[in-house]
Amino acid sequence: MKTIRHLVLFLVTNLGVQGQTDALFSDVNKAQKLRLKHTFSEQRDSVFSSFDTAINALLSSSEVCRELPDSTNHYFLVNKLKDISPKAKHISIGQKLAYAFMNNIVITSSGQIKIYSWDDLGGGSYHSYTNYLQYTDDKGNCITNPIDTKEEDPEVGYYDIVQIDNYYLAFGYGTYGGGKQHFLIKILKYQNNAIIELNQLEIGSNRSQNIDLKYNSEDSTISYKAYKFESDVGFYSKDYETVNLKFENGKLLKI
């Protein structure tokens, strides 16, 4: 009888926690819907403030580390950008990524870590992004930290994470406007009960160009098209070289 009571208590408690987590995801989902609706309206400031309150409540919950939003939360895009292939020929991969971050809260996860990313919707062709790294440490603690907060950090949102032993490769995308875009490969490592940043590689191109960035899980190699930047015109030319890199011991080595 005692065992049954404990089992019932366990189930009730976990159902209660699940309900609280679902409610937090739902609140952010509703706030994002309003944020898109009022991006350029007079209610922008109050709506955006409500979004900040909802997302902060979500990321402050220790239970969120073990959960992902379900399909009813339409404004969350969970691990849907790992294989990027535009449906129409006139839509570039960059356009698809840009609109994904504008319209959704993008979550990409691998192993013990997740990254939440979204476009700040500042308006105009300049795009800035907010990113939060979340993981569970060896003691079971849920750790949530903002990343890319320094002035010199490139503005990107993250659309994929690859785990290699205790390392992670986080793939990001951003555009400053002016017809150009950039991709980022950030190297992370789980060490001493924490996630640390080791290095990163930024790759630029025109928005109309596809750098064809690929990761091969079989041999931990990366390939992409490196377009030549022409400083006199401020754009990348059609000329490019295919760069091949291999990930070894926390570094991307040219091969």
Side-chain angles (χ1 to χ4, degrees):
M1 192 69 178
K2 184 177 180 181
T3 302
I4 294 176
R5 284 202 301 270
H6 285 174
L7 178 59
V8 171
L9 180 60
F10 173 81
L11 291 173
V12 170
T13 301
N14 278 271
L15 286 172
V17 169
Q18 182 65 55
Q20 293 171 12
T21 303
D22 289 344
L24 290 171
F25 281 121
S26 179
D27 288 345
V28 173
N29 192 70
K30 294 174 184 176
Q32 172 67 359
K33 181 179 180 179
L34 289 174
R35 198 167 75 112
L36 293 171
K37 182 179 179 180
H38 295 286
T39 300
F40 302 105
S41 78
E42 295 180 354
Q43 300 179 48
R44 174 189 169 93
D45 289 346
S46 62
V47 168
F48 275 50
S49 179
S50 296
F51 172 83
D52 291 341
T53 299
I55 197 76
N56 286 334
L58 174 70
L59 296 176
S60 297
S61 170
S62 61
E63 301 301 328
V64 171
C65 271
R66 293 175 286 277
E67 301 293 340
L68 290 169
D70 61 29
S71 59
T72 63
N73 295 292
H74 305 296
Y75 291 97
F76 281 94
L77 204 58
V78 183
N79 291 326
K80 295 290 181 64
L81 299 174
K82 292 176 177 290
D83 181 21
I84 309 163
S85 54
K87 295 180 180 179
K89 292 183 178 180
H90 65 279
I91 299 177
S92 70
I93 288 174
Q95 282 178 295
K96 183 173 181 179
L97 287 170
Y99 285 117
F101 288 113
M102 290 172 66
N103 294 321
N104 307 278
I105 310 302
V106 176
I107 300 177
T108 181
S109 64
S110 180
Q112 71 197 97
I113 76 172
K114 292 188 289 185
I115 298 181
Y116 291 75
S117 299
W118 61 88
D119 191 306
D120 295 331
L121 300 181
S125 60
Y126 180 90
H127 292 261
S128 61
Y129 305 82
T130 296
N131 304 294
Y132 278 87
L133 173 69
Q134 189 174 74
Y135 63 96
T136 305
D137 66 15
D138 292 339
K139 299 178 181 179
N141 299 314
C142 182
I143 311 298
T144 306
N145 292 317
I147 57 174
D148 298 340
T149 58
K150 298 177 183 176
E151 192 69 30
E152 63 270 21
D153 287 329
E155 291 283 355
V156 298
Y158 291 91
Y159 63 90
D160 194 11
I161 303 177
V162 173
Q163 182 178 5
I164 309 171
D165 298 324
N166 60 330
Y167 293 98
Y168 294 88
L169 299 181
F171 294 82
Y173 170 85
T175 173
Y176 291 115
K180 292 185 286 295
Q181 63 186 1
H182 50 278
F183 290 78
L184 187 75
I185 305 173
K186 184 187 290 291
I187 303 173
L188 305 169
K189 183 180 182 181
Y190 186 71
Q191 178 178 294
N192 298 328
N193 225 24
I195 298 289
I196 60 173
E197 297 184 22
L198 297 182
N199 210 336
Q200 60 188 29
L201 171 66
E202 186 175 356
I203 309 161
S205 71
N206 300 329
R207 278 207 299 262
S208 60
Q209 295 170 328
N210 175 16
I211 69 168
D212 201 21
L213 178 60
K214 295 178 180 177
Y215 171 74
N216 188 330
S217 59
E218 293 183 0
D219 55 6
S220 300
T221 57
I222 291 171
S223 65
Y224 64 90
K225 296 176 182 177
Y227 288 91
K228 182 180 179 182
F229 184 71
E230 297 183 336
S231 57
D232 54 333
V233 296
F235 284 93
Y236 292 86
S237 72
K238 295 181 179 179
D239 300 325
Y240 68 86
E241 67 168 321
T242 300
V243 176
N244 294 289
L245 305 171
K246 184 172 180 62
F247 183 79
E248 288 184 352
N249 299 320
K251 296 180 180 179
L252 291 172
L253 305 176
K254 199 167 184 178
I255 54 176

